[in-house]
Amino acid sequence: MSESPLFARLTVWTLMAVLATPIVITLAYSLAEHWGAHILPQGFTADWYVSLWTDTRFLAAFGRSLLVCLAALFLSLVLILPVLFVVFYYFPKLKGLMNLLVLLPFAVPPVVSSVGLLQLYAGGPLPLVGTPWILVLCYFTLSLPFMYRALANNLEAVNLPDLMDAAHLLGAGTTQAFLQVVLPNLRNGLLSALFLAFSFLFGEFVFANLLVGTRFETLQVYLYSQRTTSGHFTSAMVMSYFLFIGIATWVALRLQSRSA
């Protein structure tokens, strides 16, 4: 019996080591002055991070990515919450159809979708290609599966019909019950959906590169443009991105633990 916990611990630590190894190596490379023919780097420096975070082009790309992701998530939240409530409370038979519809953005490869969007919005009455608006609308569709699935699971867990019936018995109207009773019970699912979708959208490259490119340079487009520069500089950028996503995840976990 004592061998089983030991085997489990070894398995977990081995998995953690495998996952952490590329991160540690990238961090070491981003701090190395020079790392060429030798096994270990020759000296460490923070100059690569200083160069990165004093680069106005990087800061602008970082801000654009943040702005586009937040705008897309806000749009998703405003639209998906009422739709979820109507489907789960008034038309529960439509759940299967909704599950199919929200997965459609992943049914078509991003390159194929980008070509279609380029043909539709490159000219005509809505010339959106090259503007942040097409990226916001595109990211909105990509975030729908994350938002819908997480919130749908949460609604199933709270038993929406019984919750609404109890609120109505206490004199609350439908809108009041949704805002004051249902939404607080969706807090954990909402936080999970937002941060999961955010981490995915913040690292999206294909749509950003094909639809807007350098005309509205996002972080991933900037990273791609710097691929031929110093590997130390690129590693510093990757570690900064990883740190930002890690902090966002930590904040989400803290908010979830407080609301639990």
Side-chain angles (χ1 to χ4, degrees), residues 121-178:
Y121 299 110
L126 289 174
L128 297 179
V129 173
T131 69
W133 303 110
I134 192 170
L135 209 53
V136 169
L137 295 174
C138 185
Y139 282 4
F140 157 70
T141 62
L142 292 178
S143 65
L144 282 181
F146 299 101
M147 302 287 289
Y148 182 87
R149 195 64 266 156
L151 292 173
N153 291 338
N154 211 170
L155 281 173
E156 294 281 6
V158 300
N159 197 345
L160 180 62
D162 290 346
L163 201 63
M164 290 296 296
D165 290 343
H168 286 155
L169 287 174
L170 294 174
T174 301
T175 304
Q176 183 182 10
F178 173 72

Side-chain angles (χ1 to χ4, degrees), residues 205-226:
F205 169 72
V206 176
F207 287 108
N209 187 49
L210 293 178
L211 297 178
V212 295
T214 55
R215 286 170 288 183
F216 189 79
E217 191 177 49
T218 60
L219 183 62
Q220 295 302 319
V221 176
Y222 174 81
L223 177 60
Y224 179 75
S225 68
Q226 300 296 314

Side-chain angles (χ1 to χ4, degrees), residues 65-81 135-148 151 190-202:
S65 290
L66 193 61
L67 179 63
V68 168
C69 290
L70 292 179
L73 290 178
F74 176 77
L75 182 60
S76 300
L77 190 61
V78 169
L79 293 179
I80 201 65
L81 275 175
L135 209 53
V136 169
L137 295 174
C138 185
Y139 282 4
F140 157 70
T141 62
L142 292 178
S143 65
L144 282 181
F146 299 101
M147 302 287 289
Y148 182 87
L151 292 173
L190 189 59
L191 287 173
S192 300
L194 286 174
F195 281 93
L196 183 62
F198 176 80
S199 62
F200 175 77
L201 296 179
F202 200 74

